[in-house]
Amino acid sequence: MKIINISVMLLCLSIGLSAAMWDTITNTSHIYDIGSHEGRIIFSTWGGVVELDPVSDTNPTAYELYRTWTTGDGILSNDVRHVVSIGDKIWLSCADSISVVNPAGIQSFGFGSAYPSLEITGIKELGSRILVSTTIGLAEYYYLPGVNFPLLLHLYNSANTSGGMLSDHISSMQLVNDYLFLASENGISYVHQDSLDVDTSWRSWTSADIPFSLGSPIKLASNSGSLMLQTGLTIWVSDAGVPFNNGWAAYYTSGLLDISAIALDEQNRPWVAYGKWNEDLSAFSTTGNILISRFESDGTQTQFYKDQGGLGNKTITAIRFIDGKTYLGSWGNGFYQEYQDSFSQVITNSIAFPKITEIATDQDSNMWFVSGYINPLPVKKGSLGISFLDDGVWETRTVENSPLHNDSAHSLTVDANNRVWFGAWDVGINNPQGWAHGITIYDLDEDKWWYLNSSGMREWNPETQAWGPLIAGMASLSGNTIGGLDTDKHGNVFVASYNRGFNVISPDYTLLSQFTIPGSTYQRVFNTYHDGERYFFGTNNDPGLAIWNDASIPSTGGAYWVNIPVPELKNCVIYGVATVKTRYEGTQHWIAASNGLYMWDGGSGWYRYDTSIKRYRYNTITMSWAQDQLYYVDEERLYGSVRTLPASLYLDPFGRVWIGSLSAGVTMYDPDTDRFTNYYLPKNPLVSNYVTALGYEPVDGLLYIGTPDGLNTLKIGRYIKPETNLEQVKAFPNPFRPERDGSVSIVNLPADSMPQGDNRCRIYDSSGAIVIELRENEFARFEWDGKSAGGSNVSSGIYFFVVTDSQGNTKRGKIAIIR
C-alpha cells in the first residue's frame, strides 16, 4: 500500500499579529465528501476542507497541500458534510449552514433560528441555480448579475408544491437527464429542472410503483444517464430514461443492512460501502470484513475487504469517480485512489482527533495530546487514542496499533524519566471496546510500554504481544479509575485515583505515599499543581480547591492543609492553578474555577477577577466581595468584556498566565504590566472560542491552544533556541517608519532564531557613533523602536546594525528610518 503524507498545518491571518504568529491544526483524515476544483482534489472532513494539488505526471497519487479552510478562515463550522465545485466557487455545507469559498473571500449564511432542526443533505448545481436539499425542504439559490452573494429564490416543501414533494425531509438528491430526484422516507419525488415551481409537474414513486420498502432513508446515486437507489437490502438501477418506470435491475447486498455510501460508475456498476453512522458520537462503525461491494452486470459481486488491495480497515464514507479515476473517502484513513489495480492511500499529516482534552510537552519538546473524558464510553469526536508531534510528523497510538490500554485516555503527564503516562476511567465489565482501566506508560525513545493498576506494574513483551509478570517492588494504585495525572517539581508522579485518594510514585516507580484530601467525600480529584513550595489540588465539586501549604508531600489529616475561607472555591470544579512572581505584589496563585477566575496571595488575600470590575477582594469578616481594583479607561478587560468562565489555565516560561475560556477564546495576563490581552474569534483565527487545554513547545516558542474542534498555535516566544549559526541577518520593515510601524525586527534567517548563547546587537549612526545596544527578546530576535539609549527619537537617515554571537561571529546590515 502506498501512503502519501501531506501536512495540514494552516498558516492563518490575524488582526494585530503577523500571519506567521498563528497556525491551525485539525484532524482531516475523517472524510465526508470528495470533489474536484480547477484540477485539484478537494475533500470535506470534520476538521475543515482540504484542497490538494497533483504534483507528478508519472505518479497520479502524489499531491501537495494547496490550502485548507477552517473556522479560523471564516467558514461557520469545521464539520463540513458536503463540498461541491460550482464555477470558480466552492460550496460547503455544515450541519445547518452554508459557506461559499470564492476568489473574493468566504461567504457564510444559514437559514435562521426559525428552523432549529434543519439539516443539509446535499448540494447540486442546476444551470445558473444552486439547489440545497434539507430536512425542511429544497432551497433554491441563484446569483443576480452584478451581485456576488447567492440569493434565496425559493424554498420548496410538500405544502407549497401541493403535495408534489412527498416529504420535506429530503434524505438524498440527484440530477439525471434534466430531471431532479428527491428521496425521503415516503418515497421519491421527481420533476423537470425547468418546472420546479409548477405544482402539477411534480411526480412521485412509492412502493406501488417500485417494490422498495418505505420507512427507512433512501439513498440515490446516478451517472450521466442512469439512476440508482438503495433502500433496505436492495439496490435498484435503471437506464431506461426518465421516468425510469420500467427496466429496473435489482441487486442484493448480502444481508449487510448498514450502508454508508453508494455510487454508480459509467459502466452502470453499482458500488456499495458498508457502515453505520452514529450522530451522537460522530462516528462510523463497520461490522464484518467487507468494506465495499461492486456489482457486475451479470449480478456477481466483487468484494473489497479490510486490509486488502491497499485499503485499510476504516469505514468507506464516499465513493466518487473523477476524471476516470475512482476515489474512496474513509472515516479515519484519509482517502484512497485507484491506481494500477489497487488503491493508494492519501492521508494528511495531522492530529488523529479534533477534541483536545489535555496537552503535555516531554523533555525532547515533543507535544502530546489526548481526547478522552471522565467516562468509560467513547465521547463525540474524541476517545481516539493519543497523538504526538515528533519533529513535525504526527503519530497516533491506539488500542488497535499499540499496547495502549484505553483509547479514551483523558489525562497525561511526563515523568522524570521522560516517559509519558496516560490515565483513563474505569471501564467496568461491560465495555465493548476492549479497553482497560488504570495507566499506560510509554517510553518513545526506547519504544517500551508499561501498565500500572491496583495489581502493580507490568512491562509489555513485544515478542509474545502480551503483558509480562508483575515487576517486584514497583508501585500499585489504590484505585483503577484515574481522575488526573501530574508530576511535581521533584519528579514524583501524583496519581488521583477517583474515589480512593492519591498515590505518589517516585522517579524509580516505587510508592512514596498515599493520602486523601480533607473534606472530600468522594475524592473526586482531577489535577495537581506544585509550585515548589506547596501543592494545589483541584476537585470536581468535592469540594473544590484544596491546598497543602508546605513543601513536604501531603498526608491525610496533616497540619498544612489550608482552611479556604472563600465559599465559591468550596463548591466548584477546578481547571487549573498557576503561580507567578509579580513585580509589585509578590507571589500570586491564579485559580481557574468553573464559577470564576480567582487569585490567592499566599496569605490572607483572596481575589476574584471580572469583566466589569477588574478585581474584587474577599472580606473574611463580612464574608463578602468588595471592590479592589478598577479598569483604566483604555485598559483591555478580561475575556474582552464577554461574560464567560474559565475552562483551562497555563503558566508559560516567561511568567505570563494564559486563561482559556468557555466562549471568549484566550486571555493572557502579564504580571509585569498587570494587563490582560485577549485572543478570540473573529479577531484572531481560532478554530473555536471554547478553549479546553493549553500547552507550550519551547523550541519554536508556540503556545498550543486546544479546543473541541482542533488546535491553534500562537508564537509567544522561544524558551529553547535551536542550534543555528549567524546566516542572513535582515531587518524588517525596511525602510522603517517608527510612527507607523512601532518597531523594526532584526532576525537571523532562515532559522528565524539567533544562535544559542548570548547575542548582542548594536545600532550605529552614519558617523559610526553607537546609538543603542539592544537586548534579544523572547522570540530570539532584536526589536528597535527608533530611540537612542537615552530615550530620544533618532532622526531620519541610514543606520547600521551589527549582530555578534557568543563565538564572536558578526553580521551587519542597514536600516533606513523615515519620520
Side-chain angles (χ1 to χ4, degrees), residues 345-372:
Q345 183 184 23
V346 180
I347 188 166
T348 52
N349 176 32
S350 70
I351 192 170
F353 38 76
K355 182 183 178 67
I356 311 298
T357 304
E358 197 165 337
I359 304 171
T361 309
D362 69 19
Q363 297 166 19
D364 297 322
S365 300
N366 298 313
M367 301 300 300
W368 297 80
F369 306 86
V370 293
S371 64

PDB file of all heavy atoms in Angstrom, residues 345-372:
ATOM      1  N   GLN A 345      -3.251   5.026  -0.686  1.00  0.00           N
ATOM      2  CA  GLN A 345      -3.801   5.865   0.374  1.00  0.00           C
ATOM      3  C   GLN A 345      -3.162   7.249   0.352  1.00  0.00           C
ATOM      4  O   GLN A 345      -1.949   7.386   0.239  1.00  0.00           O
ATOM      5  CB  GLN A 345      -3.557   5.222   1.735  1.00  0.00           C
ATOM      6  CG  GLN A 345      -4.166   5.982   2.908  1.00  0.00           C
ATOM      7  CD  GLN A 345      -3.806   5.363   4.243  1.00  0.00           C
ATOM      8  OE1 GLN A 345      -2.809   4.663   4.349  1.00  0.00           O
ATOM      9  NE2 GLN A 345      -4.603   5.614   5.256  1.00  0.00           N
ATOM     10  N   VAL A 346      -3.990   8.268   0.450  1.00  0.00           N
ATOM     11  CA  VAL A 346      -3.531   9.645   0.601  1.00  0.00           C
ATOM     12  C   VAL A 346      -4.039  10.131   1.954  1.00  0.00           C
ATOM     13  O   VAL A 346      -5.244  10.273   2.158  1.00  0.00           O
ATOM     14  CB  VAL A 346      -4.056  10.554  -0.529  1.00  0.00           C
ATOM     15  CG1 VAL A 346      -3.550  11.984  -0.348  1.00  0.00           C
ATOM     16  CG2 VAL A 346      -3.640  10.004  -1.885  1.00  0.00           C
ATOM     17  N   ILE A 347      -3.130  10.339   2.887  1.00  0.00           N
ATOM     18  CA  ILE A 347      -3.534  10.711   4.239  1.00  0.00           C
ATOM     19  C   ILE A 347      -2.759  11.935   4.672  1.00  0.00           C
ATOM     20  O   ILE A 347      -1.567  12.081   4.395  1.00  0.00           O
ATOM     21  CB  ILE A 347      -3.333   9.542   5.230  1.00  0.00           C
ATOM     22  CG1 ILE A 347      -3.956   9.878   6.593  1.00  0.00           C
ATOM     23  CG2 ILE A 347      -1.870   9.149   5.360  1.00  0.00           C
ATOM     24  CD1 ILE A 347      -4.105   8.689   7.504  1.00  0.00           C
ATOM     25  N   THR A 348      -3.431  12.824   5.331  1.00  0.00           N
ATOM     26  CA  THR A 348      -2.823  14.070   5.764  1.00  0.00           C
ATOM     27  C   THR A 348      -1.988  13.849   7.017  1.00  0.00           C
ATOM     28  O   THR A 348      -2.277  12.994   7.838  1.00  0.00           O
ATOM     29  CB  THR A 348      -3.915  15.102   6.073  1.00  0.00           C
ATOM     30  OG1 THR A 348      -4.857  14.529   6.979  1.00  0.00           O
ATOM     31  CG2 THR A 348      -4.623  15.529   4.805  1.00  0.00           C
ATOM     32  N   ASN A 349      -0.946  14.623   7.139  1.00  0.00           N
ATOM     33  CA  ASN A 349      -0.111  14.613   8.341  1.00  0.00           C
ATOM     34  C   ASN A 349      -0.795  15.476   9.386  1.00  0.00           C
ATOM     35  O   ASN A 349      -0.576  16.679   9.473  1.00  0.00           O
ATOM     36  CB  ASN A 349       1.273  15.172   7.996  1.00  0.00           C
ATOM     37  CG  ASN A 349       2.157  15.286   9.225  1.00  0.00           C
ATOM     38  OD1 ASN A 349       2.050  14.489  10.150  1.00  0.00           O
ATOM     39  ND2 ASN A 349       3.021  16.282   9.234  1.00  0.00           N
ATOM     40  N   SER A 350      -1.680  14.850  10.178  1.00  0.00           N
ATOM     41  CA  SER A 350      -2.491  15.642  11.098  1.00  0.00           C
ATOM     42  C   SER A 350      -2.720  14.885  12.389  1.00  0.00           C
ATOM     43  O   SER A 350      -2.548  13.664  12.468  1.00  0.00           O
ATOM     44  CB  SER A 350      -3.848  15.994  10.469  1.00  0.00           C
ATOM     45  OG  SER A 350      -4.672  14.855  10.343  1.00  0.00           O
ATOM     46  N   ILE A 351      -3.139  15.619  13.386  1.00  0.00           N
ATOM     47  CA  ILE A 351      -3.538  15.029  14.647  1.00  0.00           C
ATOM     48  C   ILE A 351      -4.701  14.082  14.390  1.00  0.00           C
ATOM     49  O   ILE A 351      -5.439  14.246  13.415  1.00  0.00           O
ATOM     50  CB  ILE A 351      -3.895  16.138  15.658  1.00  0.00           C
ATOM     51  CG1 ILE A 351      -4.041  15.574  17.077  1.00  0.00           C
ATOM     52  CG2 ILE A 351      -5.144  16.898  15.223  1.00  0.00           C
ATOM     53  CD1 ILE A 351      -4.150  16.647  18.141  1.00  0.00           C
ATOM     54  N   ALA A 352      -4.884  13.065  15.259  1.00  0.00           N
ATOM     55  CA  ALA A 352      -5.850  11.998  14.974  1.00  0.00           C
ATOM     56  C   ALA A 352      -7.274  12.347  15.358  1.00  0.00           C
ATOM     57  O   ALA A 352      -8.192  11.598  15.036  1.00  0.00           O
ATOM     58  CB  ALA A 352      -5.428  10.714  15.690  1.00  0.00           C
ATOM     59  N   PHE A 353      -7.484  13.459  16.037  1.00  0.00           N
ATOM     60  CA  PHE A 353      -8.827  13.774  16.531  1.00  0.00           C
ATOM     61  C   PHE A 353      -8.985  15.288  16.661  1.00  0.00           C
ATOM     62  O   PHE A 353      -7.994  16.014  16.801  1.00  0.00           O
ATOM     63  CB  PHE A 353      -9.075  13.109  17.891  1.00  0.00           C
ATOM     64  CG  PHE A 353      -7.875  13.108  18.797  1.00  0.00           C
ATOM     65  CD1 PHE A 353      -7.475  14.254  19.480  1.00  0.00           C
ATOM     66  CD2 PHE A 353      -7.121  11.968  18.949  1.00  0.00           C
ATOM     67  CE1 PHE A 353      -6.363  14.248  20.296  1.00  0.00           C
ATOM     68  CE2 PHE A 353      -5.993  11.948  19.774  1.00  0.00           C
ATOM     69  CZ  PHE A 353      -5.617  13.098  20.449  1.00  0.00           C
ATOM     70  N   PRO A 354     -10.211  15.780  16.620  1.00  0.00           N
ATOM     71  CA  PRO A 354     -10.418  17.217  16.822  1.00  0.00           C
ATOM     72  C   PRO A 354     -10.545  17.612  18.297  1.00  0.00           C
ATOM     73  O   PRO A 354     -10.155  18.711  18.671  1.00  0.00           O
ATOM     74  CB  PRO A 354     -11.720  17.501  16.064  1.00  0.00           C
ATOM     75  CG  PRO A 354     -12.429  16.197  16.013  1.00  0.00           C
ATOM     76  CD  PRO A 354     -11.394  15.112  16.091  1.00  0.00           C
ATOM     77  N   LYS A 355     -11.069  16.733  19.114  1.00  0.00           N
ATOM     78  CA  LYS A 355     -11.332  17.085  20.513  1.00  0.00           C
ATOM     79  C   LYS A 355     -10.039  17.005  21.320  1.00  0.00           C
ATOM     80  O   LYS A 355      -9.380  15.969  21.341  1.00  0.00           O
ATOM     81  CB  LYS A 355     -12.368  16.128  21.103  1.00  0.00           C
ATOM     82  CG  LYS A 355     -12.764  16.416  22.546  1.00  0.00           C
ATOM     83  CD  LYS A 355     -13.740  15.379  23.050  1.00  0.00           C
ATOM     84  CE  LYS A 355     -14.121  15.622  24.502  1.00  0.00           C
ATOM     85  NZ  LYS A 355     -14.906  16.850  24.657  1.00  0.00           N
ATOM     86  N   ILE A 356      -9.671  18.087  21.991  1.00  0.00           N
ATOM     87  CA  ILE A 356      -8.453  18.137  22.786  1.00  0.00           C
ATOM     88  C   ILE A 356      -8.828  18.228  24.265  1.00  0.00           C
ATOM     89  O   ILE A 356      -9.499  19.175  24.684  1.00  0.00           O
ATOM     90  CB  ILE A 356      -7.566  19.331  22.402  1.00  0.00           C
ATOM     91  CG1 ILE A 356      -7.369  19.401  20.892  1.00  0.00           C
ATOM     92  CG2 ILE A 356      -6.235  19.262  23.144  1.00  0.00           C
ATOM     93  CD1 ILE A 356      -6.674  18.200  20.286  1.00  0.00           C
ATOM     94  N   THR A 357      -8.389  17.228  25.041  1.00  0.00           N
ATOM     95  CA  THR A 357      -8.693  17.208  26.468  1.00  0.00           C
ATOM     96  C   THR A 357      -7.532  17.712  27.310  1.00  0.00           C
ATOM     97  O   THR A 357      -7.724  18.461  28.263  1.00  0.00           O
ATOM     98  CB  THR A 357      -9.051  15.777  26.913  1.00  0.00           C
ATOM     99  OG1 THR A 357     -10.130  15.297  26.119  1.00  0.00           O
ATOM    100  CG2 THR A 357      -9.454  15.751  28.376  1.00  0.00           C
ATOM    101  N   GLU A 358      -6.316  17.277  26.965  1.00  0.00           N
ATOM    102  CA  GLU A 358      -5.143  17.684  27.746  1.00  0.00           C
ATOM    103  C   GLU A 358      -3.916  17.672  26.847  1.00  0.00           C
ATOM    104  O   GLU A 358      -3.845  16.923  25.864  1.00  0.00           O
ATOM    105  CB  GLU A 358      -4.956  16.760  28.953  1.00  0.00           C
ATOM    106  CG  GLU A 358      -4.032  17.343  30.020  1.00  0.00           C
ATOM    107  CD  GLU A 358      -4.125  16.605  31.346  1.00  0.00           C
ATOM    108  OE1 GLU A 358      -5.154  15.960  31.612  1.00  0.00           O
ATOM    109  OE2 GLU A 358      -3.148  16.683  32.113  1.00  0.00           O
ATOM    110  N   ILE A 359      -2.920  18.518  27.194  1.00  0.00           N
ATOM    111  CA  ILE A 359      -1.696  18.689  26.408  1.00  0.00           C
ATOM    112  C   ILE A 359      -0.498  18.582  27.340  1.00  0.00           C
ATOM    113  O   ILE A 359      -0.539  19.076  28.471  1.00  0.00           O
ATOM    114  CB  ILE A 359      -1.676  20.066  25.708  1.00  0.00           C
ATOM    115  CG1 ILE A 359      -2.928  20.258  24.834  1.00  0.00           C
ATOM    116  CG2 ILE A 359      -0.418  20.244  24.871  1.00  0.00           C
ATOM    117  CD1 ILE A 359      -3.073  21.665  24.287  1.00  0.00           C
ATOM    118  N   ALA A 360       0.576  17.942  26.877  1.00  0.00           N
ATOM    119  CA  ALA A 360       1.811  17.873  27.649  1.00  0.00           C
ATOM    120  C   ALA A 360       2.997  17.963  26.704  1.00  0.00           C
ATOM    121  O   ALA A 360       2.903  17.597  25.525  1.00  0.00           O
ATOM    122  CB  ALA A 360       1.876  16.588  28.467  1.00  0.00           C
ATOM    123  N   THR A 361       4.136  18.429  27.227  1.00  0.00           N
ATOM    124  CA  THR A 361       5.382  18.533  26.468  1.00  0.00           C
ATOM    125  C   THR A 361       6.439  17.679  27.143  1.00  0.00           C
ATOM    126  O   THR A 361       6.647  17.789  28.354  1.00  0.00           O
ATOM    127  CB  THR A 361       5.872  19.986  26.423  1.00  0.00           C
ATOM    128  OG1 THR A 361       4.808  20.832  26.001  1.00  0.00           O
ATOM    129  CG2 THR A 361       7.045  20.131  25.468  1.00  0.00           C
ATOM    130  N   ASP A 362       7.104  16.797  26.384  1.00  0.00           N
ATOM    131  CA  ASP A 362       8.133  15.975  27.011  1.00  0.00           C
ATOM    132  C   ASP A 362       9.490  16.689  26.974  1.00  0.00           C
ATOM    133  O   ASP A 362       9.609  17.821  26.495  1.00  0.00           O
ATOM    134  CB  ASP A 362       8.187  14.576  26.387  1.00  0.00           C
ATOM    135  CG  ASP A 362       8.708  14.564  24.952  1.00  0.00           C
ATOM    136  OD1 ASP A 362       9.362  15.528  24.525  1.00  0.00           O
ATOM    137  OD2 ASP A 362       8.453  13.561  24.248  1.00  0.00           O
ATOM    138  N   GLN A 363      10.518  16.028  27.486  1.00  0.00           N
ATOM    139  CA  GLN A 363      11.825  16.659  27.620  1.00  0.00           C
ATOM    140  C   GLN A 363      12.530  16.848  26.286  1.00  0.00           C
ATOM    141  O   GLN A 363      13.529  17.574  26.212  1.00  0.00           O
ATOM    142  CB  GLN A 363      12.689  15.827  28.573  1.00  0.00           C
ATOM    143  CG  GLN A 363      12.130  15.770  29.979  1.00  0.00           C
ATOM    144  CD  GLN A 363      12.772  14.695  30.833  1.00  0.00           C
ATOM    145  OE1 GLN A 363      13.863  14.213  30.536  1.00  0.00           O
ATOM    146  NE2 GLN A 363      12.091  14.300  31.906  1.00  0.00           N
ATOM    147  N   ASP A 364      12.047  16.209  25.225  1.00  0.00           N
ATOM    148  CA  ASP A 364      12.586  16.395  23.879  1.00  0.00           C
ATOM    149  C   ASP A 364      11.766  17.383  23.069  1.00  0.00           C
ATOM    150  O   ASP A 364      11.919  17.469  21.841  1.00  0.00           O
ATOM    151  CB  ASP A 364      12.645  15.054  23.153  1.00  0.00           C
ATOM    152  CG  ASP A 364      13.582  14.068  23.831  1.00  0.00           C
ATOM    153  OD1 ASP A 364      14.638  14.497  24.315  1.00  0.00           O
ATOM    154  OD2 ASP A 364      13.233  12.867  23.895  1.00  0.00           O
ATOM    155  N   SER A 365      10.869  18.093  23.750  1.00  0.00           N
ATOM    156  CA  SER A 365       9.977  19.087  23.137  1.00  0.00           C
ATOM    157  C   SER A 365       8.956  18.477  22.192  1.00  0.00           C
ATOM    158  O   SER A 365       8.395  19.174  21.339  1.00  0.00           O
ATOM    159  CB  SER A 365      10.784  20.180  22.406  1.00  0.00           C
ATOM    160  OG  SER A 365      11.632  20.853  23.306  1.00  0.00           O
ATOM    161  N   ASN A 366       8.693  17.169  22.303  1.00  0.00           N
ATOM    162  CA  ASN A 366       7.570  16.565  21.589  1.00  0.00           C
ATOM    163  C   ASN A 366       6.276  16.959  22.295  1.00  0.00           C
ATOM    164  O   ASN A 366       6.224  17.025  23.524  1.00  0.00           O
ATOM    165  CB  ASN A 366       7.688  15.041  21.558  1.00  0.00           C
ATOM    166  CG  ASN A 366       8.928  14.576  20.832  1.00  0.00           C
ATOM    167  OD1 ASN A 366       9.236  15.049  19.749  1.00  0.00           O
ATOM    168  ND2 ASN A 366       9.656  13.638  21.432  1.00  0.00           N
ATOM    169  N   MET A 367       5.222  17.164  21.510  1.00  0.00           N
ATOM    170  CA  MET A 367       3.926  17.548  22.058  1.00  0.00           C
ATOM    171  C   MET A 367       2.996  16.336  22.073  1.00  0.00           C
ATOM    172  O   MET A 367       2.906  15.595  21.091  1.00  0.00           O
ATOM    173  CB  MET A 367       3.301  18.670  21.229  1.00  0.00           C
ATOM    174  CG  MET A 367       4.148  19.933  21.142  1.00  0.00           C
ATOM    175  SD  MET A 367       4.477  20.678  22.758  1.00  0.00           S
ATOM    176  CE  MET A 367       2.802  21.039  23.333  1.00  0.00           C
ATOM    177  N   TRP A 368       2.259  16.166  23.196  1.00  0.00           N
ATOM    178  CA  TRP A 368       1.383  15.021  23.393  1.00  0.00           C
ATOM    179  C   TRP A 368      -0.042  15.504  23.659  1.00  0.00           C
ATOM    180  O   TRP A 368      -0.253  16.495  24.373  1.00  0.00           O
ATOM    181  CB  TRP A 368       1.868  14.170  24.564  1.00  0.00           C
ATOM    182  CG  TRP A 368       3.219  13.567  24.338  1.00  0.00           C
ATOM    183  CD1 TRP A 368       4.436  14.188  24.489  1.00  0.00           C
ATOM    184  CD2 TRP A 368       3.498  12.242  23.903  1.00  0.00           C
ATOM    185  NE1 TRP A 368       5.452  13.328  24.175  1.00  0.00           N
ATOM    186  CE2 TRP A 368       4.914  12.122  23.815  1.00  0.00           C
ATOM    187  CE3 TRP A 368       2.705  11.137  23.593  1.00  0.00           C
ATOM    188  CZ2 TRP A 368       5.533  10.940  23.418  1.00  0.00           C
ATOM    189  CZ3 TRP A 368       3.335   9.967  23.196  1.00  0.00           C
ATOM    190  CH2 TRP A 368       4.722   9.872  23.116  1.00  0.00           C
ATOM    191  N   PHE A 369      -1.018  14.755  23.108  1.00  0.00           N
ATOM    192  CA  PHE A 369      -2.418  15.167  23.193  1.00  0.00           C
ATOM    193  C   PHE A 369      -3.303  13.938  23.441  1.00  0.00           C
ATOM    194  O   PHE A 369      -3.054  12.870  22.880  1.00  0.00           O
ATOM    195  CB  PHE A 369      -2.862  15.839  21.890  1.00  0.00           C
ATOM    196  CG  PHE A 369      -1.994  16.986  21.473  1.00  0.00           C
ATOM    197  CD1 PHE A 369      -0.857  16.766  20.717  1.00  0.00           C
ATOM    198  CD2 PHE A 369      -2.295  18.286  21.848  1.00  0.00           C
ATOM    199  CE1 PHE A 369      -0.039  17.809  20.334  1.00  0.00           C
ATOM    200  CE2 PHE A 369      -1.478  19.338  21.468  1.00  0.00           C
ATOM    201  CZ  PHE A 369      -0.337  19.096  20.717  1.00  0.00           C
ATOM    202  N   VAL A 370      -4.335  14.123  24.266  1.00  0.00           N
ATOM    203  CA  VAL A 370      -5.345  13.085  24.471  1.00  0.00           C
ATOM    204  C   VAL A 370      -6.725  13.681  24.249  1.00  0.00           C
ATOM    205  O   VAL A 370      -6.902  14.901  24.284  1.00  0.00           O
ATOM    206  CB  VAL A 370      -5.247  12.461  25.880  1.00  0.00           C
ATOM    207  CG1 VAL A 370      -3.960  11.684  26.035  1.00  0.00           C
ATOM    208  CG2 VAL A 370      -5.364  13.524  26.970  1.00  0.00           C
ATOM    209  N   SER A 371      -7.712  12.788  24.039  1.00  0.00           N
ATOM    210  CA  SER A 371      -9.048  13.264  23.669  1.00  0.00           C
ATOM    211  C   SER A 371     -10.161  12.549  24.416  1.00  0.00           C
ATOM    212  O   SER A 371     -11.312  12.595  23.995  1.00  0.00           O
ATOM    213  CB  SER A 371      -9.265  13.070  22.160  1.00  0.00           C
ATOM    214  OG  SER A 371      -9.255  11.681  21.833  1.00  0.00           O
ATOM    215  N   GLY A 372      -9.818  11.859  25.508  1.00  0.00           N
ATOM    216  CA  GLY A 372     -10.845  11.138  26.253  1.00  0.00           C
ATOM    217  C   GLY A 372     -11.586  12.033  27.233  1.00  0.00           C
ATOM    218  O   GLY A 372     -11.456  13.257  27.235  1.00  0.00           O
TER     219      GLY A 372
END
